[in-house]
Amino acid sequence: MITLIRWYRMKAREIKIKLALYRMIEKGVDYIGANADELKKLFVHELAGALHNAPDEKK
């Protein structure tokens, strides 16, 4: 049987892990929002390079 103190420590640890995860997600979203134009340019550049270097289909 779990004692009240062990239960409290277990729940506190779960809450800390969830808060850390939410903080990482929030920082990632903020970074993407702040650098949206740069990330779009990088994405388009990489996509164009991948399409340019893709092997041609031969019929």
Side-chain angles (χ1 to χ4, degrees):
M1 189 170 170
I2 295 179
T3 63
L4 185 59
I5 294 171
R6 287 181 68 198
W7 177 81
Y8 174 77
R9 289 176 60 198
M10 186 175 64
K11 289 299 177 182
R13 186 176 297 137
E14 287 178 14
I15 291 170
K16 285 181 184 179
I17 290 171
K18 287 179 184 178
L19 287 174
L21 179 64
Y22 293 145
R23 187 180 318 141
M24 288 184 345
I25 291 171
E26 187 177 52
K27 284 185 178 186
V29 169
D30 288 343
Y31 178 78
I32 290 172
N35 299 318
D37 291 335
E38 184 178 327
L39 290 173
K40 284 180 191 175
K41 289 177 186 176
L42 179 63
F43 177 74
V44 170
H45 178 71
E46 292 294 326
L47 180 63
L51 291 175
H52 180 70
N53 295 330
D56 293 333
E57 291 185 26
K58 306 223 174 178
K59 293 183 179 179

